[in-house]
Amino acid sequence: MHSEQVLAFLDEHPDFLQQHAARYSLQATPQNGERVISFVERQMLELKDQNRQLEAQLQQLIERGQDNDLLLARLHRLTLALLAARGPGELIAELKGKLRQEFQLDRAALKLWHPAAEKDAEHYNARSEVQGLARNLVAPYCGPYVNDEVLSWFSPTPVLQSFAQVALKDAGGQPFGILVLASDDSQRFTFDMHTQYLAQIGELVSAALLSALEAA
Protein backbone atom coordinates (compact mmCIF):
# COMPACT_ATOMS: atom_id res chain seq x y z
CA MET A 1 0.00 0.00 0.00
CA HIS A 2 1.35 3.41 -1.00
CA SER A 3 1.51 6.37 1.35
CA GLU A 4 -1.23 8.16 -0.60
CA GLN A 5 -3.51 5.20 -0.02
CA VAL A 6 -2.70 5.22 3.69
CA LEU A 7 -3.49 8.91 3.94
CA ALA A 8 -6.69 8.45 2.00
CA PHE A 9 -7.70 5.62 4.30
CA LEU A 10 -7.06 7.81 7.38
CA ASP A 11 -9.08 10.61 5.83
CA GLU A 12 -11.99 8.23 5.34
CA HIS A 13 -11.59 6.74 8.81
CA PRO A 14 -10.59 9.64 11.11
CA ASP A 15 -11.22 7.55 14.23
CA PHE A 16 -8.77 4.80 13.20
CA LEU A 17 -5.81 6.19 15.19
CA GLN A 18 -8.08 6.85 18.12
CA GLN A 19 -9.19 3.23 18.17
CA HIS A 20 -5.64 1.88 17.83
CA ALA A 21 -3.79 4.51 19.87
CA ALA A 22 -2.16 2.00 22.24
CA ARG A 23 -0.71 -0.04 19.37
CA TYR A 24 1.02 2.98 17.85
CA SER A 25 2.14 4.57 21.15
CA LEU A 26 -0.39 7.38 20.77
CA GLN A 27 -2.38 9.03 23.49
CA ALA A 28 -6.04 8.31 23.07
CA THR A 29 -8.30 11.32 22.64
CA PRO A 30 -10.20 12.10 25.82
CA GLN A 31 -13.98 12.18 25.72
CA ASN A 32 -14.00 15.99 25.69
CA GLY A 33 -12.72 15.95 22.11
CA GLU A 34 -9.06 16.92 22.52
CA ARG A 35 -6.83 15.89 19.66
CA VAL A 36 -4.70 12.74 19.42
CA ILE A 37 -1.05 13.33 20.25
CA SER A 38 1.19 12.14 17.46
CA PHE A 39 4.08 9.76 17.91
CA VAL A 40 6.59 12.57 17.26
CA GLU A 41 4.92 14.81 19.83
CA ARG A 42 4.94 11.97 22.33
CA GLN A 43 8.65 11.49 21.78
CA MET A 44 9.22 15.20 22.32
CA LEU A 45 7.33 15.07 25.60
CA GLU A 46 9.38 12.07 26.72
CA LEU A 47 12.60 13.84 25.73
CA LYS A 48 11.57 16.92 27.71
CA ASP A 49 10.85 14.74 30.73
CA GLN A 50 14.24 13.02 30.39
CA ASN A 51 15.89 16.42 30.05
CA ARG A 52 14.29 17.59 33.30
CA GLN A 53 15.55 14.44 35.04
CA LEU A 54 19.08 14.98 33.68
CA GLU A 55 19.02 18.60 34.81
CA ALA A 56 18.04 17.50 38.31
CA GLN A 57 20.84 14.91 38.36
CA LEU A 58 23.32 17.50 37.12
CA GLN A 59 22.27 19.90 39.86
CA GLN A 60 22.81 17.15 42.44
CA LEU A 61 26.30 16.50 41.05
CA ILE A 62 27.12 20.21 41.18
CA GLU A 63 25.96 20.46 44.79
CA ARG A 64 27.93 17.34 45.70
CA GLY A 65 31.03 18.79 44.04
CA GLN A 66 30.60 22.03 45.97
CA ASP A 67 30.28 20.07 49.22
CA ASN A 68 33.46 18.14 48.39
CA ASP A 69 35.31 21.37 47.61
CA LEU A 70 34.25 22.79 50.96
CA LEU A 71 35.36 19.64 52.77
CA LEU A 72 38.74 19.65 51.03
CA ALA A 73 39.25 23.26 52.08
CA ARG A 74 38.52 22.32 55.69
CA LEU A 75 40.95 19.41 55.51
CA HIS A 76 43.58 21.75 54.09
CA ARG A 77 43.18 24.19 57.00
CA LEU A 78 43.36 21.27 59.45
CA THR A 79 46.59 20.11 57.81
CA LEU A 80 48.16 23.55 58.04
CA ALA A 81 47.22 23.83 61.72
CA LEU A 82 48.78 20.45 62.55
CA LEU A 83 51.95 21.27 60.63
CA ALA A 84 52.34 24.53 62.56
CA ALA A 85 51.87 22.92 65.99
CA ARG A 86 54.88 22.60 68.29
CA GLY A 87 54.87 19.43 70.33
CA PRO A 88 52.21 16.77 71.02
CA GLY A 89 50.21 18.91 73.47
CA GLU A 90 49.80 21.84 71.10
CA LEU A 91 49.08 19.47 68.22
CA ILE A 92 46.24 17.75 70.09
CA ALA A 93 44.82 21.12 71.13
CA GLU A 94 44.92 22.33 67.52
CA LEU A 95 43.29 19.12 66.34
CA LYS A 96 40.37 19.45 68.74
CA GLY A 97 40.04 23.15 67.98
CA LYS A 98 39.90 22.60 64.21
CA LEU A 99 37.46 19.72 64.55
CA ARG A 100 35.20 22.06 66.49
CA GLN A 101 35.73 25.09 64.24
CA GLU A 102 35.76 23.47 60.80
CA PHE A 103 33.56 20.40 61.28
CA GLN A 104 31.31 21.45 64.19
CA LEU A 105 32.55 18.49 66.22
CA ASP A 106 32.98 19.66 69.78
CA ARG A 107 33.07 16.16 71.24
CA ALA A 108 36.32 14.43 70.36
CA ALA A 109 38.46 12.05 72.41
CA LEU A 110 41.99 10.95 71.61
CA LYS A 111 43.85 8.19 73.44
CA LEU A 112 47.45 7.11 72.90
CA TRP A 113 49.66 4.25 74.12
CA HIS A 114 52.86 5.37 72.43
CA PRO A 115 55.74 5.28 74.97
CA ALA A 116 56.44 8.98 74.43
CA ALA A 117 52.89 9.83 75.53
CA GLU A 118 53.10 8.25 79.01
CA LYS A 119 53.45 11.62 80.74
CA ASP A 120 50.22 12.88 79.19
CA ALA A 121 47.72 11.68 81.79
CA GLU A 122 44.70 12.99 79.87
CA HIS A 123 45.45 11.20 76.62
CA TYR A 124 47.55 8.18 77.62
CA ASN A 125 45.63 4.91 77.82
CA ALA A 126 47.38 1.55 77.71
CA ARG A 127 44.36 -0.66 78.43
CA SER A 128 44.38 -3.83 76.36
CA GLU A 129 40.69 -3.51 75.44
CA VAL A 130 41.35 -0.08 73.89
CA GLN A 131 44.34 -1.36 71.96
CA GLY A 132 42.31 -4.36 70.80
CA LEU A 133 39.55 -2.05 69.62
CA ALA A 134 42.02 -0.06 67.51
CA ARG A 135 43.55 -3.22 66.04
CA ASN A 136 40.11 -4.35 64.88
CA LEU A 137 39.44 -1.09 63.05
CA VAL A 138 40.50 -1.96 59.51
CA ALA A 139 38.55 1.13 58.42
CA PRO A 140 36.86 3.89 60.44
CA TYR A 141 33.73 2.73 62.23
CA CYS A 142 30.60 4.88 62.08
CA GLY A 143 27.42 4.08 63.94
CA PRO A 144 25.55 4.28 67.25
CA TYR A 145 27.63 1.84 69.28
CA VAL A 146 30.76 2.16 71.43
CA ASN A 147 31.91 0.14 74.41
CA ASP A 148 31.64 1.42 77.98
CA GLU A 149 35.32 2.42 78.10
CA VAL A 150 34.98 4.73 75.10
CA LEU A 151 31.68 6.12 76.36
CA SER A 152 33.35 7.04 79.66
CA TRP A 153 35.62 9.47 77.80
CA PHE A 154 32.68 11.79 77.20
CA SER A 155 30.37 13.79 79.41
CA PRO A 156 27.09 11.98 80.19
CA THR A 157 25.12 14.93 78.85
CA PRO A 158 23.94 15.44 76.22
CA VAL A 159 23.15 11.84 75.33
CA LEU A 160 25.39 10.85 72.43
CA GLN A 161 23.68 9.12 69.52
CA SER A 162 26.42 8.39 66.97
CA PHE A 163 30.17 7.88 66.88
CA ALA A 164 33.13 7.68 64.53
CA GLN A 165 36.14 5.64 65.67
CA VAL A 166 39.42 5.99 63.78
CA ALA A 167 42.58 4.02 64.55
CA LEU A 168 45.86 5.95 64.55
CA LYS A 169 48.60 3.80 63.04
CA ASP A 170 52.32 3.98 62.40
CA ALA A 171 54.00 3.41 59.04
CA GLY A 172 53.91 -0.35 59.62
CA GLY A 173 50.16 -0.36 60.20
CA GLN A 174 50.38 -0.89 63.95
CA PRO A 175 47.94 1.23 66.00
CA PHE A 176 49.37 3.52 68.67
CA GLY A 177 46.18 5.45 69.39
CA ILE A 178 42.53 6.01 68.59
CA LEU A 179 40.46 9.09 67.72
CA VAL A 180 36.76 9.03 68.59
CA LEU A 181 34.27 11.64 67.41
CA ALA A 182 30.81 11.81 68.95
CA SER A 183 27.54 13.60 68.27
CA ASP A 184 24.09 13.88 69.79
CA ASP A 185 22.73 13.70 66.23
CA SER A 186 21.92 10.09 65.32
CA GLN A 187 22.45 10.86 61.62
CA ARG A 188 25.90 12.46 61.96
CA PHE A 189 27.75 9.14 61.81
CA THR A 190 25.83 6.25 60.25
CA PHE A 191 26.67 2.71 59.13
CA ASP A 192 26.19 3.53 55.45
CA MET A 193 28.21 6.74 55.25
CA HIS A 194 31.42 6.94 53.25
CA THR A 195 34.53 6.96 55.45
CA GLN A 196 37.14 8.11 52.91
CA TYR A 197 37.65 11.52 54.51
CA LEU A 198 37.66 10.08 58.02
CA ALA A 199 40.39 7.68 56.93
CA GLN A 200 42.40 10.59 55.51
CA ILE A 201 42.01 12.52 58.76
CA GLY A 202 43.24 9.44 60.61
CA GLU A 203 46.32 9.18 58.38
CA LEU A 204 47.03 12.90 58.73
CA VAL A 205 46.70 12.89 62.52
CA SER A 206 48.77 9.71 62.78
CA ALA A 207 51.67 11.13 60.78
CA ALA A 208 51.63 14.46 62.63
CA LEU A 209 51.41 12.86 66.07
CA LEU A 210 54.17 10.35 65.40
CA SER A 211 56.48 13.11 64.26
CA ALA A 212 55.67 15.20 67.34
CA LEU A 213 55.95 12.29 69.79
CA GLU A 214 59.27 11.07 68.40
CA ALA A 215 60.69 14.60 68.53
CA ALA A 216 59.51 15.20 72.10
Side-chain angles (χ1 to χ4, degrees):
M1 181 178 289
H2 298 294
S3 58
E4 291 81 3
Q5 293 174 298
V6 174
L7 293 173
F9 175 84
L10 292 176
D11 288 338
E12 294 174 5
H13 303 83
D15 59 345
F16 178 82
L17 291 177
Q18 173 71 15
Q19 295 173 357
H20 301 279
R23 179 172 181 177
Y24 296 101
S25 299
L26 303 175
Q27 178 175 315
T29 303
Q31 295 302 317
N32 60 12
E34 293 183 6
R35 68 184 180 86
V36 174
I37 296 178
S38 70
F39 179 69
V40 173
E41 288 176 295
R42 184 181 180 88
Q43 283 186 313
M44 288 298 297
L45 290 174
E46 290 178 351
L47 288 173
K48 288 180 179 179
D49 184 58
Q50 291 175 6
N51 186 55
R52 284 192 293 268
Q53 293 179 20
L54 290 174
E55 287 179 349
Q57 292 174 1
L58 178 60
Q59 183 60 34
Q60 290 179 348
L61 290 174
I62 291 174
E63 292 174 358
R64 189 174 301 172
Q66 291 173 339
D67 290 342
N68 286 338
D69 288 343
L70 181 60
L71 186 53
L72 288 173
R74 290 171 174 170
L75 284 173
H76 180 65
R77 289 191 289 270
L78 172 61
T79 301
L80 293 178
L82 296 184
L83 288 174
R86 303 293 181 86
E90 183 176 332
L91 191 150
I92 293 173
E94 284 289 340
L95 170 63
K96 292 183 177 180
K98 285 299 179 183
L99 289 174
R100 181 171 54 253
Q101 178 183 350
E102 300 288 352
F103 301 94
Q104 292 73 54
L105 289 168
D106 55 359
R107 299 176 185 87
L110 187 145
K111 299 298 178 181
L112 305 169
W113 46 91
H114 191 284
E118 286 189 49
K119 297 180 181 179
D120 186 347
E122 179 182 356
H123 300 106
Y124 186 75
N125 188 316
R127 293 187 178 183
S128 58
E129 62 179 307
V130 178
Q131 295 182 30
L133 171 62
R135 283 194 300 270
N136 290 331
L137 289 174
V138 178
Y141 162 86
C142 293
Y145 306 117
V146 291
N147 62 31
D148 291 340
E149 171 66 19
V150 172
L151 193 60
S152 71
W153 301 343
F154 299 93
S155 171
T157 55
V159 177
L160 300 175
Q161 301 289 334
S162 62
F163 303 85
Q165 302 177 70
V166 185
L168 305 178
K169 301 178 180 180
D170 60 23
Q174 294 302 311
F176 66 92
I178 187 171
L179 173 65
V180 182
L181 310 174
S183 174
D184 56 358
D185 179 1
S186 62
Q187 297 304 306
R188 186 63 190 271
F189 302 110
T190 59
F191 285 129
D192 59 349
M193 72 180 295
H194 295 291
T195 59
Q196 174 186 356
Y197 289 114
L198 282 172
Q200 290 179 356
I201 289 176
E203 292 172 358
L204 171 63
V205 174
S206 296
L209 268 175
L210 276 178
S211 179
L213 288 169
E214 293 171 357

